[in-house]
Every structure is written in C-alpha cells, then in structure tokens.
C-alpha cells in the first residue's frame, strides 16, 4: 500500500503532466486554426482602405538595418509618414539615415532635435537614450494621421504590408492589428538585393522556429476573436485611442501594457475593441545572436508579461471584453506565462516520481514521448502551413526548420524554460 507522501506525489505529478498535455494540444489546435486562417486570407479578395498611416521606428544601435527598414516602409503605395526616433544610438544609426535620405534640421525641442528628408515623408528625431516607450510617444506627438504604426529598427516589411495591415480598420470595431512576423538572416536586411532566407546559425534558427510557431498560434487566436496583443515589432493602432489612454507606458513590455489599456478603456466606455492579425502583412525581423542578448530578452519578456498581467488582473475573465477577456487573457496567463513553468517542473518531477515509485514507467514514457513529439508536430503544422504565399520560406529553409524542430525539445527548449522561469520569478520578488 502506497504511503501518503507517495500518493500526494503521484497526484501532483499526474496533475502537472495533465496540465502540460492539455496546453500542448491547445497550442497545436491554435496553430492549425492559424494556418487555416492564413490560407483563407490568401484566397480571399483583399480588403482596402485609404486611411493614412504614421509609422514610428524606434532605433537604438540599428546602423546595419535601419536604412532598409525605412526604405521598405516608404516604398509601398499606401499613404504613409515615417518617424524615426534615434534613441541615443552610439553606432552611427542617425548618421546612416541622415546620409541616405539627405536629412536637414528643422529645429530642437525640449529633449531632442528634429530633422526632415526634403523629398520623402520622413521625419527623424535624435534624442538621448530614454527607452522605446518614450521614443514611441515622441513619434505619437507628431502623428497627424488616424492610424499609428510601430515597426522595430531591425524589421523590414514586405511590399503591400501597410495596405494589408490598414485594411481591417475599415471596420470601426478594430482598434489594433498585428503583422505576421518571420525571422531572416541579418545579412539579407543589410543587402537590398538579397532574398529573404533563414539564418544560417543554429542559435538563430531555433528562434526563427519559435517566432514562426508563435505567429501561427496568434493568428489562430485572432481567428477565434480572442487575440489580445499585436506583436510589438509590427503593429498598428487607432491614434485617437492611443492618446485617450495616455500613450505608451514606460514598462518593459509596452506592447502588452498598451493592449490591456486599450481593452480597459474601450470596455469602460462601451466601445467594441477587436484586435486582429493580418497574415498577408509580413514583416521580417532579426533575433539575438548571443546567449547574453537572448537571456536578457527572454527575462524581460517573461518578467514584463507577468508584471503587466498582475497589474491588470481585473481584466482576466471580464465579460464586457468578450472572448478577449474570457478566453484571450486566460490563454496568456495559463498557456503562455505559466505553461513553461509547469513544463520545467515536469522535466524534474516526472523522472523523480518514477524513481521513487509514485508513477509507472508507462507514465514516464508517455511524458517523454509527448515532449519529443509535441515540438516537431507543432513545427510541421507551422512550416507546411506557411509554405505558399507572401513571405514563404523556400524549400531548403523549410527542410532546415524541420531538422531544427527534430532536436529543439532536447537541446534548446529546456534552456528557454529556465530563462522564462527566472524572468517570471523575478517579477514577484
């Protein structure tokens, strides 16, 4: 007869494994829904709108990519004004933009200096380093269009990006929209003539796979009407609403905070508030190249997300927000913030429970096989589901992603779980 500690350990272990399994299935279903929605969008007649857009590009030490970022935004046919905020760069970011576009000074303000391009709808602000939220707010102050977009200084958009991303705003209920992010080699961004390609380093390929799967899952949630936050590197908002909530908050995850503040404001005033993702608005971005950069990024994301949701916990389950409140935010809490923590606990708990006899070998092997299979299966859905249409990886890159997925759970995922856990735990200290 099992002792009480063994019974408790068995119960806890099976609960943890069940939690992990349920959310693994939910993530897979979200990916399937995402690729189906992407295919539907590719086959549908594209919607259009002529609402002009102001795009803010917050740039800190982006000398290698910022020129092409700006060029990609200006080369489309949609009416756009671009505001680049050089946030205290020390690598020549401002000088690169100034030389490329022939900037001329237009005058200082309290905290910086403004410049304009004589023959392009481009304005540039040079300021001391104040952080991304302050940079975006500086651009928002200059915005004179009904829509305000955010694109990172290391991100390049496909032709037609702005037209596709602005189209949903023909519906007054839409308050924010996100693009479909994919990862490319930084060298392809530096070279205007290069074709998009998967990074050649395994370190970056693992991240590219994560971004692709996240984009598919987010699109799936958007198709169900429960998307909460558009990606911070590629997003579009209604200007009037950004100003109504006081602009971007000075927090590490300003995109998440903004999404929740918009949700709160619209719910309080009785306004519909849909957040959508546009799979044809493809934006190519880069990812960290060193362990230190990645660790800092993931801890900031995890800690910032946990802190932001804690501050706004009254919105979780709020019925006035529709599915975003009753489904979307619980998904973020249980499926994105807590799920990696539970996964990390399971890596240790399940083998230990088997060693002491609390669970059977069958339970151990079901968990191990589930962990090993879950990654490649979700990756296969994302890779094959995005093999056609705008922003598709070529056949060689798709094969490389599948090979990456085959080993991701063994050599990459555990370290990411640890980084995420440290970030979340840092937010509760």
């Amino acid at each position: 007869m099992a002792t009480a500690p063994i019974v408790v350990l068995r119960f806890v272990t099976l609960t943890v494994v069940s939690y992990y399994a349920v959310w693994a299935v939910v993530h897979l279903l979200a990916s399937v829904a995402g690729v189906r929605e992407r295919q539907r969008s590719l086959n549908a007649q594209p919607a259009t709108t002529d609402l002009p857009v102001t795009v803010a590009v917050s740039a800190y030490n982006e000398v290698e990519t910022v020129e092409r970022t700006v060029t990609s935004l200006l080369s489309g046919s949609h009416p756009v004004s671009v505001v680049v905020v050089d946030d205290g760069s020390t690598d020549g970011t401002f000088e690169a933009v100034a030389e490329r576009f022939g900037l001329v000074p237009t005058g200082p303000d309290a905290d910086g200096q403004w410049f304009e391009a004589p023959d392009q709808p481009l304005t540039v602000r040079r300021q001391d380093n104040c952080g991304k939220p302050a940079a975006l707010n500086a651009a928002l102050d200059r915005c004179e269009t009904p829509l305000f977009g955010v694109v990172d200084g290391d991100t390049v958009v496909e032709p037609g990006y702005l037209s596709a991303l602005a189209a949903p705003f023909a519906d007054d209920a839409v308050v924010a929209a996100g693009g479909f992010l994919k990862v490319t080699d930084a060298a392809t961004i530096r070279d205007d003539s290069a074709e998009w390609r998967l990074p050649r380093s395994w370190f970056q390929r693992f991240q590219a796979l994560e971004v692709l799967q996240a984009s598919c899952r987010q699109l799936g949630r958007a198709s169900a009407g429960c998307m909460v936050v558009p990606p911070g590197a590629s997003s579009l908002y209604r200007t009037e609403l950004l100003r109504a909530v006081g602009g971007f908050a000075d927090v590490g995850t300003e995109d998440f905070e903004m999404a929740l503040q918009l949700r709160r404001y619209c719910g309080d005033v009785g306004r519909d508030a849909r957040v959508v993702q546009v799979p044809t608005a493809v934006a190519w971005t880069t990812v960290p190249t060193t362990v230190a950069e990645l660790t800092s990024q993931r801890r900031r994301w995890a800690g910032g997300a946990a802190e932001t949701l804690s501050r706004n916990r009254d919105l979780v389950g709020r019925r006035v927000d529709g599915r975003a409140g009753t489904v979307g935010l619980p998904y973020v809490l249980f499926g994105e913030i807590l799920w990696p923590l539970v996964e990390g606990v399971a890596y240790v708990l399940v083998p230990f429970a088997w060693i002491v006899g609390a669970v059977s070998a069958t339970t151990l092997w079901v968990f191990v096989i589930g962990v090993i299979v879950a990654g490649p299966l979700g990756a296969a859905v994302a890779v094959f589901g995005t093999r056609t249409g705008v922003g598709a990886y070529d056949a060689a890159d798709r094969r490389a992603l599948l090979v990456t997925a085959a080993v991701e759970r063994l050599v990459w995922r555990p370290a990411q779980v640890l980084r995420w856990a440290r970030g979340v735990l840092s937010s509760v200290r």
Side-chain angles (χ1 to χ4, degrees), residues 55 72-73 150-151 156-166 177-180 233-236 278 280-283:
V55 178
S72 70
L73 290 167
V150 177
V151 171
V156 175
V157 304
E158 288 274 5
Y161 165 88
L162 286 175
S163 295
L165 199 59
F180 196 90
S234 166
S235 53
L236 191 63
V278 185
T280 53
V282 175

Side-chain angles (χ1 to χ4, degrees), residues 164-178:
L165 199 59
F169 289 88
D171 180 354
D172 290 338
V174 173
V175 300

Side-chain angles (χ1 to χ4, degrees), residues 101-104 116-120 122:
F101 297 100
L103 300 181
V104 295
E116 289 184 354
D119 54 354
Q120 297 272 18
L122 170 64

Side-chain angles (χ1 to χ4, degrees), residues 9-34:
L9 180 60
R10 179 184 299 126
F11 174 79
V12 172
T13 303
L14 293 178
T15 300
V16 167
V17 170
S18 299
Y19 186 106
Y20 173 82
V22 166
W23 279 103
V25 172
V26 170
H27 287 322
L28 179 62
L29 294 176
S31 292
V32 171

Side-chain angles (χ1 to χ4, degrees), residues 183-218:
V183 172
T184 188
D185 194 320
T188 65
I189 292 183
R190 292 192 295 267
D191 183 357
D192 288 350
S193 62
E195 296 182 358
W196 304 120
R197 71 178 187 221
L198 194 67
R200 294 305 181 241
S201 79
W202 282 91
F203 187 77
Q204 292 175 288
R205 283 183 178 180
F206 284 122
Q207 296 173 75
L209 183 65
E210 290 177 326
V211 170
L212 179 61
Q213 291 180 275
S215 292
C216 289
R217 290 195 299 266
Q218 195 164 38

